[in-house]
Amino acid sequence: MESEQNETGVLAGDERMLIDGELRHTASGATFDVIHPASEQVAGVATDGTVADMEAAVGAARRAFDAGDWSRDVEFRRHCLMQLHEALDRNKERLRRILITEVGCPVTVTGSQIEAPIHEVAHWAEFGAAFDYLRYNGVHETPLGPAKRVLRYEPHGVVGAITPWNVPLYLNVAETVPALMAGNTVVLKPAQLTPWSGTELGRIVAEETDIPAGVFNVVVSNANEVGAALTADPRVDMITFTGSTATGRAILAAAAPTVKKTLLELGGKSAHIVLDDADLGSAMPLAAMMACVMSGQSCVLPSRILLPRSRYEEGIEGLKQMMENFPVGDPWTPGVMQGPQISETQRQKVLGLIRDGIDDGARLVTGGGIPGNLPVGYYTQPTLLVDVDPNSRIAQEEIFGPVLTVTPYDTDDEAVAIANNSIYGLSGEVSSADVDRAFAIAARMRTGNVSINGKSHFGINSPFGGTGQSGLGYRNGTHGYEEYLHIKTIGMPE
C-alpha cells in the first residue's frame, strides 16, 4: 500500500493504476501532483497514465468479458461484491481521510461520500442476485403459428466509466458497481483532480476481493486524451459519465462513430419555487445550507431561488442570515460544513460569475469574495445575489460554488416559466404549505426530479436522471440497473 501521512491528517492514496489484475505505474514512471485544496500544498502524486495504458485496460476488460465466466455467474458476482462491501467498510476511515485530502470535503459531511457508497455496494449485490434476467412475454400469434416469446436481460459488455471530482468515491461506486453486478466488465477513468478515490478502489479490488483480472480496471491520468481514448475505443460497448454538459456533448460525439450506448448525468441549474404560502422560517435556512454544503459543488443544487414579490424581502433576509453565519473553514475541523473549492481555477470561475452577475444588474447582499480569515486554501464566501434577471448569465450558467441567486415573481405561472427557462432539467424544488398545490407546480416543471418541502427525491431505490441538456438515462432503482443491460427477445415454439 503506497501512501504518505503527516501530522495534519492529510493522507495520500495509492499512486498506482489497476490494469488486468496488476497494480502498476505507467511505463515511463511519470506522475502528476495531487493538491490538498485547504492548504494549496502538494499532498502526493498519482501515476500519469497514457493512451497505451488505457488501451491495455480496455483490452483486458474485453478479454475478461469475452473469455471469462463473469457475465454468466450471478452468484459469484454477488460473492465478489459482498467482499468489496466488507473491504470498503474496513478501509472507510482511510478512504475518508483520502477524500478530505483530495476534495476538501468537510469531515462533518463525509457520510454521503463514504458510508453511502459502501452501503450501495451491498445493495447492488443483493439487488442483482434477485433480479429476473429471464422473463416470459406471452404467446403471440404469427403467420407461421403461435410463438412463445422470452425476454433475456444481458450485459452490454465492456463499460467505460468516467467520473467527476465533486463526490468521487460515491460516483466511482455508483457508475461501476451496478455495471459489474449486471455482468459487465469495467474500465474506470477517475477525474484528474481526485485520482486516489479511484486508485484506492482499484487497490481494494485487487488485494481484498476475488474479482478476476481484467473485470475491473482503473486508469488515472492528467491528460484529457486518455479519457477520450476510452470513449472512442470500438471495444467499449457503453460509456457512463457524470460531469459537465460541455464534456457530455464531446462524449456523445466521440461515441457516435461506434454508436455505443451512453449514460450521461450532466449539468444542472435547478430552480426552487417558493410559493406565497410557504413556511419561510424552514425553507430559507435549508435552501441556504444546501447552497453551501460541499462548497456548492453539486449538480442538483437548487441554486435559483424564485420568491413571490409579496414575501421577497422576508425571504431574502432568511437566506442572508443563514449564509452569513454558515460554518466555513478547515475541512478537518468538526462542525465545519463548507470547505474550499476544489482548485484555484474553480474558485476563479465562481468569483468571475459573481462579478458578471453584479455587472448584469444583480444586487450583492452578502459574500462575493474570499473570506478574510481564510487566506490559504481555495475558499469562497457564501454569496447571495438578488434582483437577478432570469436571462442573465448568472441565472443560466451552472456556477458550482456556494452562490444563490434570487428572482422575484408575481404569479405561479410566471414562476413556472422562469424555472423552465433553462437548457438544463436535472432537479428542482417547491415549497408550500399546500402539498397538493406544490405537487401541481412540480408536475409543470421540466426537470427529471423535484423535492417538495425539502423531502429528497434522491435515493438508491428511485430512478434519477435529467431532461434537456442535463443528461440521458437513469441511475438508481430498477431503471438504473437496467441501463447496464440490453434486452434480447427470443421467439420459440410453445
Side-chain angles (χ1 to χ4, degrees):
M1 186 185 301
E2 298 189 0
S3 64
E4 297 178 9
Q5 179 181 352
N6 66 30
E7 66 279 3
T8 68
V10 172
L11 184 68
D14 200 295
E15 298 176 9
R16 300 166 295 176
M17 301 176 287
L18 174 63
I19 299 176
D20 203 10
E22 178 189 353
L23 293 166
R24 63 170 89 164
H25 293 86
T26 195
S28 70
T31 61
F32 64 96
D33 293 339
V34 181
I35 308 298
H36 179 36
S39 69
E40 306 181 34
Q41 299 298 309
V42 175
V45 300
T47 194
D48 198 358
T50 64
V51 170
D53 292 318
M54 181 59 76
E55 290 174 346
V58 172
R62 186 77 262 167
R63 289 191 300 274
F65 183 81
D66 292 341
D69 293 329
W70 181 258
S71 66
R72 295 183 287 273
D73 194 336
V74 175
E75 187 50 43
F76 180 62
R77 299 199 301 266
R78 178 190 174 279
H79 159 76
C80 290
L81 291 183
M82 289 306 297
Q83 285 182 320
L84 178 60
H85 164 72
E86 292 160 7
L88 289 171
D89 193 56
R90 286 193 298 272
N91 284 271
K92 69 181 178 182
E93 294 312 318
R94 172 179 170 82
L95 290 166
R96 192 185 316 276
R97 289 172 60 202
I98 288 170
L99 175 80
I100 299 168
T101 299
E102 64 179 357
V103 181
C105 174
V107 64
T108 303
V109 295
T110 54
S112 62
Q113 299 211 41
I114 299 295
E115 277 78 8
I118 293 172
H119 164 74
E120 289 202 4
V121 176
H123 169 86
W124 289 121
E126 300 296 349
F127 184 95
F131 188 83
D132 186 1
Y133 296 91
L134 198 64
R135 304 180 191 180
Y136 174 63
N137 197 38
V139 175
H140 304 263
E141 291 299 326
T142 78
L144 297 178
K148 176 183 176 181
R149 292 180 186 154
V150 175
L151 307 182
R152 178 178 164 86
Y153 287 74
E154 301 178 344
H156 290 287
V158 177
V159 174
I162 303 174
T163 55
W165 47 258
N166 60 328
V167 281
L169 181 65
Y170 172 80
L171 286 167
N172 289 344
V173 166
E175 296 199 33
T176 64
V177 169
L180 290 168
M181 190 60 213
N184 301 280
T185 57
V186 171
V187 179
L188 170 64
K189 167 59 177 67
Q192 289 99 316
L193 292 171
T194 53
W196 296 329
S197 289
T199 58
E200 282 294 315
L201 183 58
R203 179 191 64 77
I204 291 167
V205 164
E207 295 181 348
E208 302 187 43
T209 79
D210 295 327
I211 294 175
V215 167
F216 182 72
N217 306 270
V218 181
V219 179
V220 294
S221 176
N222 200 34
N224 291 334
E225 57 262 29
V226 174
L230 175 63
T231 304
D233 197 309
R235 297 170 295 176
V236 175
D237 301 290
M238 175 181 175
I239 293 290
T240 173
F241 168 75
T242 299
S244 72
T245 294
T247 303
R249 294 188 194 108
I251 286 173
L252 277 175
T258 53
V259 199
K260 57 173 57 77
K261 179 182 173 71
T262 55
L263 172 58
L264 305 176
E265 181 193 326
L266 306 179
K269 190 66 179 177
S270 303
H272 180 176
I273 298 177
V274 182
L275 298 178
D276 56 14
D277 63 350
D279 178 3
L280 298 188
S282 61
M284 294 300 90
L286 181 59
M289 181 184 74
M290 292 300 294
C292 301
V293 169
M294 293 170 50
S295 306
Q297 297 172 154
S298 170
C299 56
V300 297
L301 170 64
S303 59
R304 293 185 292 149
I305 308 296
L306 309 184
L307 285 173
R309 204 174 297 275
S310 61
R311 305 189 68 186
Y312 192 61
E313 295 302 330
E314 179 188 359
I316 289 171
E317 183 58 30
L319 294 169
K320 175 178 180 289
Q321 288 183 15
M322 179 58 126
M323 297 184 88
E324 288 183 341
N325 292 284
F326 201 77
V328 182
D330 185 348
W332 301 97
T333 302
V336 166
M337 297 184 70
Q338 180 188 321
Q341 309 306 128
I342 188 71
S343 67
E344 179 62 16
T345 298
Q346 180 61 25
R347 176 166 68 173
Q348 289 304 318
K349 177 191 173 185
V350 172
L351 295 174
L353 283 166
I354 293 169
R355 289 192 296 269
D356 283 353
I358 295 169
D359 290 344
D360 285 339
R363 173 164 53 100
L364 178 65
V365 173
T366 190
I370 297 171
N373 64 327
L374 296 168
V376 176
Y378 307 127
Y379 296 95
T380 305
Q381 290 176 316
T383 299
L384 180 61
L385 293 168
V386 305
D387 306 339
V388 173
D389 182 337
N391 296 307
S392 64
R393 184 185 179 205
I394 194 87
Q396 292 291 321
E397 188 171 327
E398 187 173 39
I399 301 172
F400 237 56
V403 181
L404 284 180
T405 69
V406 181
T407 298
Y409 70 87
D410 292 302
T411 67
D412 290 3
D413 287 347
E414 183 186 6
V416 171
I418 294 171
N420 290 338
N421 177 29
S422 175
I423 64 170
Y424 301 110
L426 188 58
S427 186
E429 187 159 356
V430 184
S431 292
S432 174
D434 184 338
V435 174
D436 290 338
R437 181 186 176 197
F439 187 90
I441 294 292
R444 296 171 62 191
M445 297 173 74
R446 290 198 298 269
T447 183
N449 314 273
V450 183
S451 295
I452 293 176
N453 292 344
K455 301 302 181 183
S456 175
H457 56 72
F458 189 83
I460 190 66
N461 293 304
S462 303
F464 173 78
T467 63
Q469 295 189 33
S470 283
L472 299 171
Y474 297 93
R475 303 203 190 284
N476 295 341
T478 300
H479 296 81
Y481 190 71
E482 291 179 350
E483 293 283 1
Y484 297 100
L485 298 160
H486 69 84
I487 303 173
K488 178 185 289 180
T489 301
I490 301 174
M492 57 194 296
E494 289 187 78

